[in-house]
Protein backbone atom coordinates (compact mmCIF):
# COMPACT_ATOMS: atom_id res chain seq x y z
CA UNK A 1 0.00 0.00 0.00
CA UNK A 2 1.35 3.40 -0.91
CA UNK A 3 1.78 6.06 1.73
CA UNK A 4 -0.51 8.99 0.85
CA UNK A 5 1.59 11.28 3.02
CA UNK A 6 4.60 10.99 0.75
CA UNK A 7 5.02 11.91 -2.95
CA UNK A 8 4.83 8.79 -5.14
CA UNK A 9 3.97 6.59 -2.19
CA UNK A 10 7.39 6.94 -0.72
CA UNK A 11 9.18 4.99 -3.48
CA UNK A 12 12.80 6.00 -2.91
CA UNK A 13 13.59 5.75 -6.64
CA UNK A 14 10.95 8.27 -7.74
CA UNK A 15 9.78 11.69 -6.68
CA UNK A 16 13.24 13.18 -7.08
CA UNK A 17 13.38 15.24 -10.30
CA UNK A 18 17.07 14.39 -10.61
CA UNK A 19 16.05 10.75 -11.19
CA UNK A 20 13.20 11.49 -13.63
CA UNK A 21 14.99 12.98 -16.63
CA UNK A 22 13.54 16.37 -15.77
CA UNK A 23 9.95 15.42 -16.71
CA UNK A 24 7.36 15.56 -13.98
CA UNK A 25 4.77 12.80 -14.32
CA UNK A 26 3.15 11.99 -10.99
CA UNK A 27 0.99 14.41 -9.03
CA UNK A 28 3.32 16.35 -6.74
CA UNK A 29 2.74 18.44 -3.65
CA UNK A 30 6.07 20.26 -4.07
CA UNK A 31 5.92 23.53 -6.01
CA UNK A 32 8.05 23.59 -9.18
CA UNK A 33 11.23 25.67 -9.02
CA UNK A 34 10.64 28.79 -11.15
CA UNK A 35 13.01 29.24 -14.11
CA UNK A 36 16.02 31.50 -13.50
CA UNK A 37 17.43 34.19 -15.76
CA UNK A 38 20.96 35.56 -16.02
CA UNK A 39 21.42 39.31 -16.12
CA UNK A 40 24.16 39.90 -18.69
CA UNK A 41 26.34 43.02 -18.63
CA UNK A 42 27.86 44.10 -21.96
CA UNK A 43 31.18 45.83 -22.45
CA UNK A 44 31.49 49.21 -24.14
CA UNK A 45 34.35 51.66 -24.67
CA UNK A 46 32.97 54.61 -22.66
CA UNK A 47 31.43 53.56 -19.35
CA UNK A 48 34.04 54.07 -16.60
CA UNK A 49 35.21 50.94 -14.80
CA UNK A 50 34.40 52.50 -11.40
CA UNK A 51 30.80 53.08 -12.48
CA UNK A 52 30.38 49.42 -13.51
CA UNK A 53 31.85 48.31 -10.17
CA UNK A 54 29.41 50.63 -8.34
CA UNK A 55 26.50 49.18 -10.35
CA UNK A 56 27.55 45.64 -9.44
CA UNK A 57 27.81 46.60 -5.77
CA UNK A 58 24.61 48.64 -5.52
CA UNK A 59 22.23 46.86 -7.89
CA UNK A 60 23.60 43.30 -7.76
CA UNK A 61 24.73 43.35 -4.09
CA UNK A 62 28.27 42.20 -4.90
CA UNK A 63 31.18 42.90 -2.59
CA UNK A 64 34.02 45.10 -3.88
CA UNK A 65 36.35 42.27 -4.96
CA UNK A 66 33.66 40.23 -6.74
CA UNK A 67 32.29 43.39 -8.40
CA UNK A 68 35.78 44.25 -9.66
CA UNK A 69 36.35 40.70 -10.93
CA UNK A 70 33.04 40.67 -12.85
CA UNK A 71 33.71 44.13 -14.32
CA UNK A 72 37.19 43.07 -15.50
CA UNK A 73 35.81 39.83 -16.99
CA UNK A 74 33.22 41.86 -18.94
CA UNK A 75 35.89 44.38 -20.01
CA UNK A 76 38.14 41.59 -21.33
CA UNK A 77 35.63 39.17 -22.83
CA UNK A 78 32.80 41.46 -23.97
CA UNK A 79 30.07 40.30 -21.60
CA UNK A 80 29.50 38.61 -18.26
CA UNK A 81 26.90 37.50 -15.75
CA UNK A 82 26.03 40.05 -13.07
CA UNK A 83 23.57 37.75 -11.29
CA UNK A 84 20.85 35.10 -11.69
CA UNK A 85 17.23 35.77 -10.66
CA UNK A 86 13.60 34.95 -11.37
CA UNK A 87 12.38 36.83 -14.45
CA UNK A 88 10.68 39.83 -12.85
CA UNK A 89 13.66 40.52 -10.60
CA UNK A 90 16.09 40.13 -13.54
CA UNK A 91 14.04 42.57 -15.65
CA UNK A 92 13.93 45.08 -12.79
CA UNK A 93 17.73 44.89 -12.41
CA UNK A 94 18.19 45.53 -16.15
CA UNK A 95 15.91 48.58 -15.94
CA UNK A 96 17.87 49.85 -12.91
CA UNK A 97 21.18 49.46 -14.78
CA UNK A 98 19.82 51.33 -17.80
CA UNK A 99 18.31 54.05 -15.63
CA UNK A 100 21.55 54.62 -13.69
CA UNK A 101 23.65 54.61 -16.87
CA UNK A 102 21.33 56.98 -18.74
CA UNK A 103 21.32 59.37 -15.77
CA UNK A 104 25.11 59.65 -16.11
CA UNK A 105 25.16 59.64 -19.92
CA UNK A 106 26.94 56.27 -20.15
CA UNK A 107 26.09 53.66 -22.80
CA UNK A 108 26.24 50.67 -20.42
CA UNK A 109 23.78 47.96 -21.48
CA UNK A 110 22.41 44.86 -19.78
CA UNK A 111 20.08 42.08 -20.86
CA UNK A 112 18.32 38.94 -19.65
CA UNK A 113 19.08 35.41 -20.81
CA UNK A 114 17.40 32.20 -19.67
CA UNK A 115 19.79 30.16 -17.51
N1 LIG B 1 35.44 48.94 -21.18
C1 LIG B 1 35.15 49.97 -20.20
C2 LIG B 1 36.37 50.88 -20.05
O1 LIG B 1 37.47 50.53 -20.51
C3 LIG B 1 34.80 49.38 -18.83
C4 LIG B 1 33.55 48.56 -18.85
C5 LIG B 1 33.52 47.33 -18.18
C6 LIG B 1 32.39 49.00 -19.48
C7 LIG B 1 32.36 46.57 -18.14
C8 LIG B 1 31.22 48.24 -19.48
O2 LIG B 1 30.06 46.28 -18.75
C9 LIG B 1 31.22 47.03 -18.79
N2 LIG B 1 36.19 52.03 -19.42
Amino acid sequence: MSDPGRPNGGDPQSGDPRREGGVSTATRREVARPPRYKVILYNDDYTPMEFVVAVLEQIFNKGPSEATAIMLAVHKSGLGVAGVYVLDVAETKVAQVHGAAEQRGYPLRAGVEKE
Side-chain angles (χ1 to χ4, degrees):
M1 228 271 249
S2 76
D3 177 356
R6 295 183 62 180
N8 305 306
D11 177 354
Q13 289 302 318
S14 64
D16 181 343
R18 290 166 298 191
R19 293 178 186 273
E20 290 178 345
V23 178
S24 182
T25 50
T27 302
R28 301 175 63 87
R29 282 180 194 79
E30 298 154 64
V31 175
R33 210 171 76 89
R36 307 264 152 177
Y37 294 82
K38 297 180 279 195
V39 174
I40 310 289
L41 272 188
Y42 295 97
N43 190 37
D44 66 72
D45 292 338
Y46 304 103
T47 304
M49 291 183 172
E50 313 76 63
F51 180 80
V52 179
V53 171
V55 161
L56 286 160
E57 290 176 353
Q58 290 163 29
I59 299 176
F60 296 95
N61 304 312
K62 304 301 184 188
S65 62
E66 191 183 359
T68 301
I70 293 169
M71 181 280 294
L72 285 174
V74 174
H75 175 71
K76 287 175 187 162
S77 79
L79 80 176
V81 178
V84 181
Y85 308 95
V86 296
L87 185 59
D88 65 333
V89 175
E91 287 173 335
T92 298
K93 303 265 183 203
V94 168
Q96 288 173 334
V97 170
H98 292 164
E102 279 155 25
Q103 210 167 27
R104 301 290 297 270
Y106 298 140
L108 179 64
R109 301 305 288 171
V112 162
E113 189 180 294
K114 198 162 192 286
E115 196 179 41

